[in-house]
Amino acid sequence: MDSSVKELLQSDQFLQEVTIKGWVRTFRANRFIALNDGSTINNIQCVVDFEHTDEDILKRINTGTAVSIKGTLVESQGKGQKVEIQVSEVEVLGDSDPEEYPIQPKRHSMEFLRENAHLRTRTNTFGAVMRLRSALSFAIHQYFQQNGFYYVNTPIITGSDAEGAGEMFRITTLDAKNPPLTEEGDVDYSQDFFGKETNITVSGQLEAETYAMSLGKVYTFGPTFRAENSNTSRHLAEFWMIEPEVAFMDLDGNMDLAEDFIKYVLKYVLENNREDLEFLEKRLLDEEKTKPQNERSDMSLIEKLHFVIDNNFKRVSYTEAIDILRNSKPNKKKKFNYLIEGWGADLQSEHERFLVEKHFKCPVILFDYPANIKAFYMRLNEDGKTVRAMDILFPGIGEIVGGSQREERLDVLQQKINELGIDEKELWWYTDLRKYGTAVHSGFGLGFERLVMFATGMSNVRDVIPFPRTPQNAEF
Ligand code: 4AD
Ligand code: MG
């Protein structure tokens, strides 16, 4: 196999003959190729002997060209790199028209790069982000596998829409122009592919619960879909979620698990992805400089990661949080878009960010929310009005985790289902869990892209997933 740029940059086996393939980042003075193959953020310098190289070939070496290079690995004479390749032969594998290639060696706007999402991973920023995304995925599996969890694949197509986590996308093979109708004039889904109305899932939780109640400790890691029309920097219509679910674990255990898990995966990338993080740290510093002084972060990217790993998350009840918010400056000065008037209000992201960024200045776990702003499956507290829910709020991100202890009592669950007008028949298998060997159990969902945002310092969720799906946008 050919060598990778990463291997060669770490090698000290000088004078060895090497073959390497990659894409030209820059070609200077008809002599110096900066070559990148994606294995690392760093390029390897390849020094071409232009006097003995065909002029036609030299002309075809442009930014974006794919080349195969043979040569000798030597200690570099120049500054900025330890090793370089003295090229004996360049073969152009694929030309790239320098007039047309969109990814020039200069700063491009994020918007421009989104429009060129098929090429944007050829930039340093997106290469670094996507390598980190891959490393985080690996660390997530490693964390759970090492701790006795089983990986469960829950269905993407679902017949239940009871989760209530958001608007769903329908799956159908019916003719959109001319669907079969019932006598009442509604679309007759009994004639659809599955013989009923189906959607793509907003969460694997309900199915994961069935596995927790047999395998004990499980997790999902898959795509989820929400048809909310929220065009924000933190919402996607298609995003990846990690959902652990554990039998015999209560809400305190759930908070401990979430905190330990997040710290583990962040530590993993600090230890294994240093170069990409250092690049992104510099990028973030440059971005921060364009902001007004009072909006700049006083911590660098790597400092932020250490800060999360080294400190306990602050655990605060919803009721305490409401008191803090009600008496806060932005509430009194009517600076919040949604003023907090009293207990029961749903928290908006402006409130969450105030708590995390201004008040506590650390990750916060809010727990025991009012029952009526949370999902039907959350365990009711003795007070009869709050549920054993928890959200984890992160600086710059807002909500990164949502979870709860689940209602394990059949009668309480059924009453809730009825109160909310959910069709109990649709959830027969879910309520069965409460009939046969029911037990305390808990879990949470972590939005993968929000984690990647935090770990990379990227400020828009569209820039941490290869091909973002958002309202009015499903290109590529
Ligand atoms: O809080 P949510 O809606 O929780 C659930 O879906 C539960 N069933 C999880 C569980 O208990 N197993 O979503 C969980 C997380 C959020 O905290 C957020 O990080 C992320 O998923 N998330 C989104 N990420 C990107 N785009 C969206 N539209 C998101 N909606 C939620
Ligand atoms: Mg939530």
Side-chain angles (χ1 to χ4, degrees):
M1 223 164 64
D2 303 337
S3 310
S4 71
V5 172
K6 186 176 180 178
E7 284 159 4
L8 291 185
L9 288 176
Q10 289 165 354
S11 172
D12 50 9
Q13 290 189 308
F14 297 122
L15 302 180
Q16 63 168 321
E17 290 299 307
V18 296
T19 303
I20 188 144
K21 299 190 178 87
W23 295 269
V24 175
R25 283 292 174 86
T26 55
F27 185 38
R28 277 191 301 121
N30 242 2
R31 196 167 161 78
F32 301 106
I33 298 176
L35 192 74
N36 191 280
D37 65 354
S39 59
T40 160
I41 189 149
N42 299 307
N43 305 325
I44 194 159
Q45 172 154 292
C46 306
V47 186
V48 180
D49 177 1
F50 61 92
E51 282 171 1
H52 296 100
T53 307
D54 192 336
E55 209 166 305
D56 276 352
I57 291 195
L58 290 175
K59 272 198 202 131
R60 291 170 65 194
I61 304 174
N62 294 303
T63 297
T65 304
V67 292
S68 173
I69 283 179
K70 282 202 177 85
T72 315
L73 190 70
V74 296
E75 232 168 319
S76 177
Q77 308 299 314
K79 271 198 235 133
Q81 66 269 330
K82 230 176 71 214
V83 305
E84 62 188 26
I85 298 173
Q86 293 286 345
V87 179
S88 55
E89 192 187 328
V90 190
E91 187 191 344
V92 172
L93 302 174
D95 290 287
S96 177
D97 184 336
E99 302 296 314
E100 287 182 13
Y101 183 51
I103 310 297
Q104 292 301 318
K106 62 163 198 173
R107 190 168 291 276
H108 294 290
S109 75
M110 286 295 154
E111 195 46 55
F112 174 82
L113 291 170
R114 271 171 225 147
E115 286 163 10
N116 288 282
H118 60 309
L119 297 172
R120 67 178 176 172
T121 29
R122 297 189 188 189
T123 64
N124 284 332
T125 298
F126 284 91
V129 168
M130 295 309 161
R131 276 186 296 271
L132 274 160
R133 184 179 164 109
S134 167
L136 283 166
S137 302
F138 177 76
I140 287 164
H141 282 293
Q142 181 158 294
Y143 176 83
F144 288 120
Q145 297 286 333
Q146 282 176 354
N147 285 289
F149 285 71
Y150 296 106
Y151 178 38
V152 184
N153 301 120
T154 48
I156 305 285
I157 300 174
T158 169
S160 68
D161 65 353
E163 159 94 1
E167 295 292 311
M168 303 184 98
F169 291 102
R170 181 172 296 141
I171 287 279
T172 179
T173 53
L174 293 179
D175 180 357
K177 275 199 202 130
N178 192 17
L181 298 177
T182 61
E183 276 172 19
E184 291 81 43
D186 299 325
V187 175
D188 184 5
Y189 288 106
S190 71
Q191 295 187 45
D192 204 346
F193 188 91
F194 294 106
K196 62 191 281 196
E197 214 178 317
T198 47
N199 299 290
I200 43 178
T201 189
V202 295
S203 156
Q205 177 199 324
L206 303 192
E207 288 90 351
E209 280 187 51
T210 69
Y211 273 70
M213 298 310 282
S214 52
L215 301 186
K217 297 202 272 186
V218 299
Y219 70 105
T220 72
F221 187 175
T224 49
F225 308 87
R226 298 193 186 176
E228 309 158 83
N229 206 352
S230 28
N231 238 321
T232 77
S233 59
R234 301 174 309 119
H235 287 88
L236 290 164
E238 175 178 294
F239 65 99
W240 288 66
M241 188 155 48
I242 296 101
E243 297 185 273
E245 192 70 34
V246 182
F248 315 116
M249 184 178 77
D250 64 10
L251 191 71
D252 288 323
N254 205 21
M255 293 194 243
D256 293 342
L257 174 66
E259 186 170 340
D260 190 54
F261 162 60
I262 292 175
K263 287 178 173 173
Y264 177 90
V265 298
L266 293 179
K267 199 158 167 229
Y268 179 91
V269 291
L270 269 176
E271 285 167 4
N272 293 279
N273 296 72
R274 202 68 196 187
E275 287 173 340
D276 286 327
L277 284 174
E278 280 168 6
F279 173 83
L280 290 167
E281 173 163 272
K282 282 199 216 91
R283 194 204 75 87
L284 188 60
L285 267 175
D286 289 344
E287 191 181 86
E288 293 269 304
K289 282 186 198 140
T290 66
K291 291 185 189 164
Q293 194 86 38
N294 63 340
E295 283 175 30
R296 287 185 205 167
S297 166
D298 43 12
M299 272 191 252
S300 75
L301 177 60
I302 291 175
E303 281 169 345
K304 274 190 222 166
L305 300 184
H306 277 295
F307 183 80
V308 168
I309 293 167
D310 297 339
N311 290 287
N312 292 332
F313 296 5
K314 180 85 188 159
R315 299 182 186 191
V316 187
S317 74
Y318 166 91
T319 304
E320 283 171 75
I322 284 292
D323 279 342
I324 293 166
L325 288 167
R326 193 168 31 204
N327 297 316
S328 70
K329 243 193 213 160
N331 202 53
K332 288 189 165 154
K333 294 194 164 166
K334 303 203 184 327
K335 289 268 160 64
F336 283 142
N337 290 324
Y338 296 86
L339 294 179
I340 297 288
E341 263 140 31
W343 198 92
D346 202 354
L347 300 185
Q348 305 295 324
S349 83
E350 57 181 345
H351 308 127
E352 297 176 342
R353 295 185 68 160
F354 173 83
L355 290 170
V356 173
E357 287 158 29
K358 298 280 185 304
H359 189 82
F360 291 109
K361 298 192 167 70
C362 70
V364 173
I365 311 185
L366 287 187
F367 62 91
D368 284 353
Y369 281 77
N372 58 2
I373 59 171
K374 288 289 183 188
F376 77 95
Y377 50 69
M378 296 187 180
R379 194 185 195 282
L380 192 64
N381 276 313
E382 302 312 314
D383 64 13
K385 58 179 194 173
T386 60
V387 285
R388 299 247 75 192
M390 64 130 179
D391 278 4
I392 302 185
L393 314 177
F394 255 47
I397 307 286
E399 182 190 332
I400 192 164
V401 162
S404 64
Q405 186 175 320
R406 319 305 188 190
E407 184 55 76
E408 85 284 12
R409 298 163 297 185
L410 181 64
D411 52 336
V412 183
L413 184 66
Q414 271 170 336
Q415 197 187 331
K416 190 67 191 259
I417 287 173
N418 293 333
E419 270 170 29
L420 291 178
I422 301 170
D423 186 358
E424 203 182 323
K425 285 202 292 292
E426 219 183 87
L427 283 173
W428 64 274
W429 52 274
Y430 188 74
T431 46
D432 260 9
L433 298 178
R434 279 73 182 164
K435 286 187 200 155
Y436 309 123
T438 193
V440 164
H441 63 289
S442 304
F444 62 83
L446 172 105
F448 186 46
E449 284 72 21
R450 297 203 182 160
L451 176 72
V452 183
M453 280 174 81
F454 184 75
T456 58
M458 299 299 282
S459 53
N460 195 314
V461 74
R462 293 168 174 81
D463 300 329
V464 299
I465 186 164
F467 298 104
R469 269 75 181 101
T470 50
Q472 300 300 311
N473 171 40
E475 193 64 47
F476 305 102

